[in-house]
Coordinates of all heavy atoms in Angstrom, one line a residue:
M5 N 72.2 56.7 87.5 CA 73.3 57.6 87.8 C 73.4 58.7 86.8 O 73.3 58.4 85.6 CB 74.6 56.7 87.9 CG 75.8 57.5 88.2 SD 77.1 56.3 88.5 CE 78.4 57.5 88.7
K6 N 73.5 59.9 87.2 CA 73.6 61.0 86.3 C 75.0 61.3 85.9 O 75.9 61.1 86.7 CB 73.1 62.3 86.9 CG 71.6 62.3 87.1 CD 71.1 63.6 87.7 CE 69.7 63.6 87.9 NZ 69.2 64.9 88.4
T7 N 75.2 61.6 84.7 CA 76.6 61.9 84.2 C 76.6 63.4 83.9 O 75.7 64.0 83.4 CB 77.0 61.2 82.9 OG1 76.0 61.5 81.9 CG2 77.0 59.7 83.2
R8 N 77.7 64.0 84.3 CA 77.9 65.4 84.1 C 78.6 65.7 82.8 O 79.5 64.9 82.3 CB 78.8 66.0 85.2 CG 78.1 66.2 86.5 CD 78.9 67.1 87.3 NE 78.9 66.6 88.7 CZ 79.6 67.2 89.7 NH1 80.3 68.2 89.4 NH2 79.5 66.7 90.9
K9 N 78.1 66.8 82.2 CA 78.8 67.2 80.9 C 80.0 68.0 81.3 O 80.0 68.9 82.1 CB 77.8 68.1 80.2 CG 78.3 68.5 78.8 CD 77.3 69.3 78.1 CE 77.8 69.9 76.8 NZ 76.8 70.7 76.1
P10 N 81.2 67.5 80.7 CA 82.4 68.3 81.1 C 82.4 69.7 80.6 O 81.8 70.0 79.5 CB 83.5 67.5 80.4 CG 82.8 66.7 79.4 CD 81.4 66.5 79.8
R11 N 82.9 70.6 81.4 CA 82.9 72.0 81.0 C 84.1 72.3 80.1 O 85.2 71.7 80.4 CB 83.1 72.9 82.3 CG 81.8 72.9 83.1 CD 82.0 73.9 84.2 NE 80.9 74.9 84.1 CZ 80.9 75.9 84.9 NH1 81.8 76.2 85.7 NH2 79.9 76.7 84.8
T12 N 83.9 73.1 79.2 CA 85.0 73.5 78.3 C 85.6 74.8 78.9 O 85.0 75.5 79.7 CB 84.6 73.7 76.9 OG1 83.6 74.7 76.9 CG2 83.9 72.4 76.3
K13 N 86.8 75.1 78.4 CA 87.4 76.3 78.8 C 86.6 77.6 78.4 O 86.5 78.5 79.2 CB 88.8 76.5 78.2 CG 89.8 75.5 78.9 CD 91.2 75.8 78.3 CE 92.2 74.8 79.0 NZ 93.5 75.1 78.6
S14 N 85.9 77.5 77.3 CA 85.1 78.7 76.9 C 83.9 78.8 77.8 O 83.5 80.0 78.0 CB 84.7 78.5 75.4 OG 83.9 77.4 75.3
A15 N 83.4 77.7 78.3 CA 82.2 77.8 79.2 C 82.6 78.5 80.5 O 81.9 79.2 81.1 CB 81.6 76.5 79.4
K16 N 83.8 78.1 81.0 CA 84.3 78.7 82.2 C 84.5 80.2 82.1 O 84.2 81.0 82.9 CB 85.6 78.1 82.7 CG 85.4 76.7 83.2 CD 86.7 76.2 83.7 CE 86.6 74.8 84.3 NZ 87.9 74.3 84.7
K17 N 85.0 80.7 81.0 CA 85.3 82.1 80.7 C 84.0 82.9 80.7 O 83.9 84.0 81.1 CB 86.1 82.3 79.5 CG 87.5 81.9 79.6 CD 88.3 82.1 78.3 CE 89.7 81.6 78.5 NZ 90.5 81.8 77.2
Q18 N 83.0 82.3 80.1 CA 81.7 83.0 80.0 C 81.0 83.2 81.3 O 80.3 84.1 81.5 CB 80.8 82.2 79.0 CG 81.3 82.2 77.6 CD 80.4 81.3 76.7 OE1 79.5 80.6 77.2 NE2 80.7 81.3 75.4
T19 N 81.2 82.3 82.2 CA 80.5 82.4 83.5 C 81.2 83.3 84.5 O 80.6 83.7 85.5 CB 80.4 81.0 84.2 OG1 81.7 80.4 84.4 CG2 79.5 80.1 83.3
K20 N 82.4 83.7 84.3 CA 83.1 84.6 85.2 C 82.6 86.0 85.0 O 82.5 86.5 83.9 CB 84.6 84.6 84.9 CG 85.3 83.3 85.4 CD 86.8 83.4 85.3 CE 87.5 82.1 85.8 NZ 88.9 82.2 85.6
L21 N 82.3 86.6 86.1 CA 81.8 88.0 86.1 C 83.0 88.9 86.4 O 83.9 88.6 87.2 CB 80.7 88.2 87.2 CG 79.5 87.4 87.0 CD1 78.5 87.6 88.2 CD2 78.8 87.8 85.7
P22 N 83.0 90.1 85.9 CA 84.1 91.1 86.2 C 84.0 91.5 87.7 O 82.9 91.6 88.2 CB 83.8 92.2 85.3 CG 82.4 92.2 84.9 CD 82.0 90.7 85.0
V23 N 85.2 91.6 88.3 CA 85.3 92.0 89.7 C 85.2 93.5 89.8 O 85.9 94.2 89.1 CB 86.6 91.5 90.3 CG1 86.7 91.9 91.7 CG2 86.7 90.0 90.1
P24 N 84.2 94.0 90.6 CA 84.1 95.5 90.7 C 85.3 96.1 91.4 O 86.0 95.4 92.2 CB 82.9 95.7 91.5 CG 82.7 94.4 92.2 CD 83.3 93.3 91.4
A25 N 85.7 97.3 91.0 CA 86.8 97.9 91.6 C 86.5 98.2 93.1 O 85.4 98.4 93.5 CB 87.1 99.3 90.9
E26 N 87.6 98.1 93.9 CA 87.4 98.4 95.4 C 87.0 99.9 95.6 O 87.6 100.8 94.9 CB 88.7 98.1 96.1 CG 89.1 96.7 96.2 CD 88.3 95.9 97.2 OE1 87.9 96.5 98.2 OE2 88.0 94.8 96.9
P27 N 86.1 100.1 96.5 CA 85.8 101.5 96.7 C 86.9 102.2 97.5 O 87.7 101.5 98.1 CB 84.5 101.4 97.6 CG 84.6 100.1 98.2 CD 85.3 99.2 97.2
A28 N 87.0 103.5 97.4 CA 88.0 104.2 98.1 C 87.9 104.0 99.6 O 86.8 103.8 100.1 CB 87.9 105.7 97.7
S29 N 89.0 104.0 100.3 CA 89.0 103.8 101.7 C 88.4 105.0 102.4 O 88.3 106.1 101.9 CB 90.4 103.5 102.2 OG 91.2 104.6 102.1
K30 N 88.1 104.8 103.7 CA 87.6 105.9 104.5 C 88.7 107.0 104.7 O 88.4 108.1 104.7 CB 87.1 105.4 105.9 CG 85.9 104.5 105.8 CD 85.4 104.1 107.1 CE 84.2 103.2 107.0 NZ 83.7 102.7 108.3
K31 N 89.9 106.5 104.8 CA 91.1 107.4 104.9 C 91.1 108.3 103.7 O 91.3 109.6 103.8 CB 92.3 106.6 105.0 CG 93.6 107.4 105.0 CD 94.8 106.4 105.1 CE 96.1 107.0 105.0 NZ 97.2 106.1 105.0
E32 N 90.9 107.8 102.5 CA 90.9 108.6 101.3 C 89.8 109.5 101.2 O 89.9 110.7 100.7 CB 90.9 107.7 100.0 CG 92.2 106.9 99.9 CD 92.2 105.9 98.8 OE1 91.1 105.7 98.2 OE2 93.2 105.2 98.5
H33 N 88.6 109.1 101.7 CA 87.4 110.0 101.8 C 87.7 111.2 102.7 O 87.4 112.3 102.3 CB 86.2 109.3 102.3 CG 85.5 108.4 101.3 ND1 85.0 108.8 100.1 CD2 85.3 107.0 101.3 CE1 84.5 107.8 99.5 NE2 84.7 106.7 100.2
V34 N 88.3 111.0 103.8 CA 88.5 112.1 104.8 C 89.6 113.0 104.2 O 89.4 114.2 104.2 CB 89.0 111.5 106.1 CG1 89.5 112.6 107.0 CG2 87.9 110.7 106.8
I35 N 90.6 112.5 103.6 CA 91.6 113.3 103.0 C 91.1 114.2 101.9 O 91.3 115.4 101.7 CB 92.8 112.5 102.5 CG1 93.6 111.9 103.7 CG2 93.8 113.3 101.6 CD1 94.7 111.0 103.4
A36 N 90.2 113.6 101.0 CA 89.5 114.3 100.0 C 88.7 115.5 100.5 O 88.6 116.6 100.0 CB 88.7 113.4 99.1
L37 N 88.0 115.2 101.6 CA 87.1 116.2 102.2 C 88.0 117.4 102.8 O 87.6 118.5 102.6 CB 86.3 115.6 103.4 CG 85.1 114.8 103.0 CD1 84.6 114.1 104.3 CD2 84.0 115.6 102.4
L38 N 89.1 117.0 103.4 CA 90.0 118.1 103.9 C 90.7 118.9 102.9 O 91.1 120.0 103.2 CB 91.0 117.4 104.9 CG 90.4 116.7 106.1 CD1 91.5 116.0 106.9 CD2 89.7 117.7 107.0
K39 N 90.9 118.3 101.7 CA 91.5 119.1 100.6 C 90.6 120.0 99.9 O 91.1 120.8 99.1 CB 92.2 118.1 99.6 CG 93.4 117.4 100.1 CD 94.1 116.6 99.1 CE 95.4 116.0 99.6 NZ 96.0 115.2 98.6
Q40 N 89.3 120.0 100.2 CA 88.4 121.0 99.6 C 88.8 122.4 100.0 O 89.3 122.6 101.1 CB 87.0 120.7 100.0 CG 86.4 119.3 99.5 CD 85.0 119.1 100.1 OE1 84.5 119.8 100.9 NE2 84.5 118.0 99.7
A41 N 88.4 123.3 99.2 CA 88.8 124.7 99.5 C 88.2 125.2 100.8 O 88.9 125.9 101.6 CB 88.3 125.6 98.4
E42 N 87.0 124.8 101.1 CA 86.4 125.2 102.4 C 86.7 124.3 103.6 O 86.2 124.5 104.7 CB 84.9 125.4 102.2 CG 84.1 124.1 102.0 CD 84.0 123.6 100.6 OE1 84.6 124.3 99.7 OE2 83.5 122.6 100.3
G43 N 87.4 123.2 103.3 CA 87.7 122.2 104.3 C 86.5 121.3 104.6 O 85.5 121.2 103.9
A44 N 86.5 120.7 105.8 CA 85.3 119.8 106.2 C 85.1 120.0 107.7 O 86.1 120.0 108.5 CB 85.7 118.4 105.9
T45 N 83.9 120.0 108.1 CA 83.5 120.0 109.5 C 83.6 118.6 110.1 O 83.7 117.6 109.4 CB 82.1 120.6 109.7 OG1 81.2 119.7 109.1 CG2 81.9 122.0 109.1
L46 N 83.6 118.5 111.4 CA 83.6 117.3 112.1 C 82.4 116.4 111.6 O 82.5 115.2 111.4 CB 83.7 117.5 113.6 CG 83.9 116.2 114.4 CD1 85.2 115.5 114.1 CD2 83.8 116.6 115.9
A47 N 81.3 117.1 111.5 CA 80.0 116.4 111.1 C 80.1 115.9 109.7 O 79.6 114.8 109.4 CB 78.8 117.4 111.2
D48 N 80.8 116.6 108.8 CA 81.0 116.1 107.4 C 81.8 114.8 107.5 O 81.5 113.8 106.7 CB 81.8 117.1 106.6 CG 81.0 118.4 106.3 OD1 79.7 118.3 106.4 OD2 81.6 119.4 106.1
M49 N 82.8 114.7 108.2 CA 83.7 113.6 108.3 C 83.0 112.4 109.0 O 83.2 111.2 108.6 CB 85.0 113.9 109.0 CG 85.9 114.8 108.1 SD 87.5 115.2 108.9 CE 87.0 116.6 110.0
I50 N 82.2 112.7 110.0 CA 81.4 111.6 110.7 C 80.4 111.0 109.7 O 80.3 109.8 109.6 CB 80.7 112.2 111.9 CG1 81.7 112.5 113.0 CG2 79.7 111.2 112.4 CD1 81.2 113.3 114.2
A51 N 79.8 111.8 108.9 CA 78.8 111.3 107.9 C 79.5 110.5 106.8 O 78.9 109.5 106.4 CB 78.0 112.5 107.3
A52 N 80.7 110.9 106.4 CA 81.4 110.2 105.4 C 81.9 108.8 105.8 O 82.0 107.9 105.0 CB 82.5 111.1 104.8
T53 N 82.3 108.7 107.1 CA 83.0 107.5 107.5 C 82.1 106.6 108.4 O 82.4 105.4 108.5 CB 84.2 107.9 108.3 OG1 83.9 108.7 109.5 CG2 85.3 108.6 107.5
G54 N 81.2 107.2 109.1 CA 80.4 106.5 110.1 C 81.1 106.3 111.4 O 80.6 105.6 112.3
W55 N 82.2 107.0 111.6 CA 83.0 106.9 112.9 C 82.3 107.9 113.9 O 81.6 108.8 113.6 CB 84.4 107.4 112.7 CG 85.2 106.5 111.8 CD1 85.0 105.2 111.5 CD2 86.4 106.8 111.1 NE1 85.9 104.7 110.6 CE2 86.8 105.7 110.4 CE3 87.2 108.0 111.0 CZ2 88.0 105.7 109.6 CZ3 88.3 108.0 110.2 CH2 88.7 106.8 109.5
Q56 N 82.7 107.7 115.2 CA 82.3 108.6 116.2 C 83.3 109.8 116.2 O 84.4 109.7 115.6 CB 82.3 107.9 117.5 CG 81.2 106.8 117.6 CD 81.2 106.2 119.0 OE1 82.0 106.5 119.9 NE2 80.3 105.2 119.1
S57 N 82.9 110.9 116.8 CA 83.6 112.1 116.8 C 85.1 111.9 117.3 O 86.0 112.4 116.8 CB 82.9 113.2 117.5 OG 82.7 112.9 118.9
H58 N 85.2 111.2 118.4 CA 86.5 111.0 119.0 C 87.4 110.2 118.1 O 88.6 110.4 118.1 CB 86.5 110.4 120.4 CG 85.9 109.0 120.5 ND1 84.6 108.7 120.5 CD2 86.5 107.8 120.5 CE1 84.4 107.4 120.5 NE2 85.6 106.8 120.5
S59 N 86.8 109.3 117.3 CA 87.6 108.5 116.4 C 88.1 109.4 115.2 O 89.3 109.2 114.7 CB 86.8 107.4 115.8 OG 86.4 106.5 116.8
V60 N 87.3 110.3 114.7 CA 87.7 111.2 113.7 C 88.8 112.1 114.1 O 89.8 112.2 113.4 CB 86.5 112.0 113.2 CG1 87.0 113.1 112.2 CG2 85.4 111.1 112.5
R61 N 88.7 112.6 115.3 CA 89.7 113.5 115.9 C 91.0 112.7 116.1 O 92.1 113.2 115.8 CB 89.3 114.2 117.1 CG 88.2 115.3 116.9 CD 87.9 116.1 118.1 NE 87.5 115.3 119.2 CZ 86.2 115.1 119.5 NH1 85.3 115.6 118.8 NH2 85.9 114.4 120.6
G62 N 90.9 111.5 116.6 CA 92.1 110.7 116.8 C 92.8 110.3 115.5 O 94.0 110.3 115.3
F63 N 92.0 110.1 114.4 CA 92.5 109.8 113.1 C 93.3 111.0 112.5 O 94.4 110.9 112.0 CB 91.4 109.4 112.1 CG 91.8 109.3 110.7 CD1 92.5 108.1 110.3 CD2 91.5 110.3 109.8 CE1 92.9 108.0 109.0 CE2 91.9 110.1 108.5 CZ 92.6 109.0 108.1
I64 N 92.7 112.2 112.7 CA 93.4 113.4 112.3 C 94.7 113.6 113.0 O 95.7 113.8 112.4 CB 92.5 114.6 112.5 CG1 91.3 114.6 111.5 CG2 93.2 115.9 112.3 CD1 90.2 115.6 111.7
S65 N 94.7 113.4 114.3 CA 95.9 113.6 115.1 C 96.9 112.6 114.8 O 98.1 112.9 114.6 CB 95.5 113.7 116.6 OG 96.7 113.7 117.4
G66 N 96.5 111.3 114.9 CA 97.5 110.2 114.8 C 98.0 109.9 113.4 O 99.2 109.8 113.2
N67 N 97.0 109.7 112.5 CA 97.4 109.3 111.2 C 97.8 110.4 110.3 O 98.8 110.4 109.6 CB 96.2 108.5 110.5 CG 96.2 107.1 111.0 OD1 97.2 106.5 111.4 ND2 95.0 106.6 111.1
L68 N 97.0 111.5 110.2 CA 97.3 112.5 109.3 C 98.4 113.4 109.7 O 99.3 113.7 109.0 CB 96.0 113.4 109.0 CG 94.8 112.6 108.5 CD1 93.6 113.5 108.2 CD2 95.2 111.9 107.2
R69 N 98.4 113.8 111.0 CA 99.4 114.8 111.5 C 100.7 114.1 111.8 O 101.8 114.5 111.3 CB 98.9 115.5 112.7 CG 97.9 116.6 112.3 CD 97.5 117.4 113.6 NE 96.6 118.5 113.2 CZ 95.7 119.0 114.0 NH1 95.5 118.5 115.2 NH2 94.9 120.0 113.5
K70 N 100.6 113.0 112.5 CA 101.9 112.3 113.0 C 102.5 111.3 111.9 O 103.6 111.4 111.6 CB 101.6 111.6 114.3 CG 101.3 112.6 115.4 CD 101.0 111.8 116.7 CE 100.7 112.8 117.8 NZ 100.3 112.2 119.1
K71 N 101.6 110.4 111.4 CA 102.2 109.4 110.5 C 102.4 109.9 109.1 O 103.5 109.7 108.5 CB 101.2 108.2 110.4 CG 101.3 107.4 111.7 CD 100.4 106.1 111.5 CE 100.4 105.3 112.8 NZ 99.6 104.1 112.7
L72 N 101.4 110.7 108.6 CA 101.6 111.2 107.2 C 102.2 112.6 107.1 O 102.5 113.1 106.1 CB 100.2 111.2 106.5 CG 99.5 109.8 106.3 CD1 98.2 110.0 105.7 CD2 100.4 108.9 105.5
N73 N 102.4 113.2 108.3 CA 103.0 114.5 108.4 C 102.3 115.5 107.5 O 103.0 116.3 106.9 CB 104.5 114.4 108.0 CG 105.3 115.5 108.6 OD1 104.9 116.2 109.6 ND2 106.5 115.8 108.1
L74 N 101.0 115.5 107.6 CA 100.2 116.5 106.8 C 99.9 117.7 107.8 O 99.7 117.5 109.0 CB 98.9 115.9 106.3 CG 99.0 114.8 105.3 CD1 97.6 114.2 105.0 CD2 99.6 115.4 104.0
N75 N 99.8 118.9 107.2 CA 99.5 120.1 108.0 C 98.0 120.3 108.0 O 97.5 120.9 107.1 CB 100.3 121.3 107.3 CG 100.2 122.5 108.2 OD1 99.7 122.4 109.3 ND2 100.6 123.6 107.7
V76 N 97.4 119.8 109.0 CA 95.9 119.9 109.2 C 95.6 121.1 110.1 O 96.1 121.2 111.2 CB 95.3 118.6 109.8 CG1 93.8 118.8 109.9 CG2 95.7 117.4 108.9
Q77 N 94.9 122.1 109.6 CA 94.5 123.3 110.3 C 93.1 123.3 110.7 O 92.2 122.7 110.0 CB 94.8 124.5 109.4 CG 96.2 124.7 109.0 CD 97.1 125.0 110.1 OE1 96.7 125.8 111.0 NE2 98.3 124.4 110.2
L78 N 92.7 123.9 111.8 CA 91.4 124.0 112.3 C 91.1 125.5 112.3 O 91.8 126.3 112.9 CB 91.2 123.5 113.7 CG 89.8 123.7 114.3 CD1 88.7 123.0 113.5 CD2 89.8 123.1 115.7
A79 N 90.1 126.0 111.5 CA 89.8 127.4 111.4 C 88.2 127.6 111.4 O 87.5 126.6 111.2 CB 90.3 128.0 110.1
K80 N 87.8 128.8 111.8 CA 86.4 129.1 111.8 C 86.0 129.6 110.4 O 86.7 130.5 109.8 CB 86.1 130.1 112.8 CG 84.9 129.8 113.7 CD 84.7 130.9 114.8 CE 83.9 130.2 115.8 NZ 83.6 131.2 116.9
R81 N 84.9 129.1 109.9 CA 84.4 129.5 108.6 C 83.6 130.8 108.8 O 83.3 131.3 109.9 CB 83.4 128.5 108.0 CG 84.1 127.3 107.5 CD 83.0 126.4 106.9 NE 83.5 125.1 106.5 CZ 82.7 124.1 106.1 NH1 81.4 124.3 106.1 NH2 83.2 123.0 105.7
A82 N 83.2 131.5 107.7 CA 82.4 132.7 107.7 C 81.0 132.4 108.3 O 80.5 133.3 109.0 CB 82.2 133.2 106.3
D83 N 80.5 131.2 108.2 CA 79.2 130.9 108.8 C 79.3 130.5 110.3 O 78.3 130.2 110.9 CB 78.5 129.8 108.0 CG 79.3 128.4 108.0 OD1 80.4 128.4 108.6 OD2 78.8 127.5 107.3
G84 N 80.5 130.5 110.8 CA 80.7 130.3 112.2 C 81.1 128.9 112.6 O 81.4 128.6 113.8
Q85 N 81.0 128.0 111.7 CA 81.4 126.6 112.0 C 82.9 126.4 111.9 O 83.6 127.0 111.1 CB 80.7 125.6 110.9 CG 79.2 125.5 111.0 CD 78.7 124.5 110.1 OE1 79.3 124.3 109.0 NE2 77.6 123.9 110.4
K86 N 83.4 125.5 112.7 CA 84.8 125.1 112.7 C 85.0 124.1 111.6 O 84.3 123.1 111.5 CB 85.3 124.5 114.0 CG 85.2 125.5 115.2 CD 85.7 124.9 116.4 CE 85.7 125.9 117.6 NZ 86.1 125.2 118.9
A87 N 86.1 124.3 110.8 CA 86.4 123.4 109.7 C 87.9 123.0 109.7 O 88.7 123.8 109.9 CB 86.0 124.0 108.4
Y88 N 88.1 121.7 109.5 CA 89.5 121.2 109.3 C 89.9 121.3 107.9 O 89.0 121.1 107.0 CB 89.6 119.8 109.8 CG 89.4 119.5 111.3 CD1 88.1 119.3 111.8 CD2 90.5 119.5 112.1 CE1 87.9 119.1 113.1 CE2 90.3 119.3 113.5 CZ 89.0 119.1 114.0 OH 88.8 118.9 115.3
S89 N 91.1 121.6 107.6 CA 91.6 121.6 106.2 C 93.1 121.2 106.1 O 93.8 121.4 107.1 CB 91.3 122.9 105.5 OG 92.1 123.9 106.2
I90 N 93.5 120.7 105.0 CA 94.9 120.4 104.8 C 95.4 121.5 103.9 O 94.9 121.8 102.9 CB 95.0 119.0 104.0 CG1 94.6 117.9 104.9 CG2 96.5 118.8 103.6 CD1 94.6 116.5 104.2
T91 N 96.5 122.1 104.5 CA 97.1 123.2 103.7 C 98.4 122.8 103.1 O 99.0 121.8 103.4 CB 97.4 124.4 104.7 OG1 98.2 123.9 105.8 CG2 96.1 125.0 105.2

């Protein structure tokens, strides 16, 4: 029969690894993109979140405009692309 060596408190503290910080949420990523000076295209937001286009547009309409009451504008850039931005 094997006997275990009892762990001391110091041994337990040494084996604990620091918990990494939670990454920013997708919501925070989208808001950061929209706050940029040039705004963000639909393709930029799709790439950042992995959502489909209708999900991004629904998020902008439902969460940002209605729930958070943010003023999200859609405008054409100088290069011809449409970009959303928070004003």
Side-chain angles (χ1 to χ4, degrees):
M5 182 170 175
K6 292 184 181 181
T7 59
R8 285 196 222 180
K9 184 178 176 182
R11 291 184 123 188
T12 61
K13 287 186 179 182
S14 61
K16 285 184 181 179
K17 287 182 184 177
Q18 291 174 355
T19 58
K20 287 187 180 178
L21 298 174
V23 178
E26 288 287 324
S29 66
K30 291 180 181 181
K31 176 181 174 180
E32 291 171 357
H33 282 298
V34 171
I35 291 173
L37 287 171
L38 294 174
K39 285 186 177 180
Q40 294 175 357
E42 68 276 358
T45 64
L46 187 60
D48 294 337
M49 292 181 277
I50 290 170
T53 60
W55 295 338
Q56 294 183 1
S57 60
H58 65 276
S59 299
V60 173
R61 288 191 301 267
F63 173 76
I64 290 171
S65 175
N67 283 327
L68 300 182
R69 286 185 175 150
K70 293 178 183 176
K71 288 185 181 177
L72 296 178
N73 203 21
L74 295 174
N75 189 9
V76 181
Q77 299 292 321
L78 177 62
K80 227 177 200 180
R81 290 185 185 169
D83 61 0
Q85 292 184 332
K86 293 181 181 178
Y88 293 89
S89 63
I90 294 177
T91 54

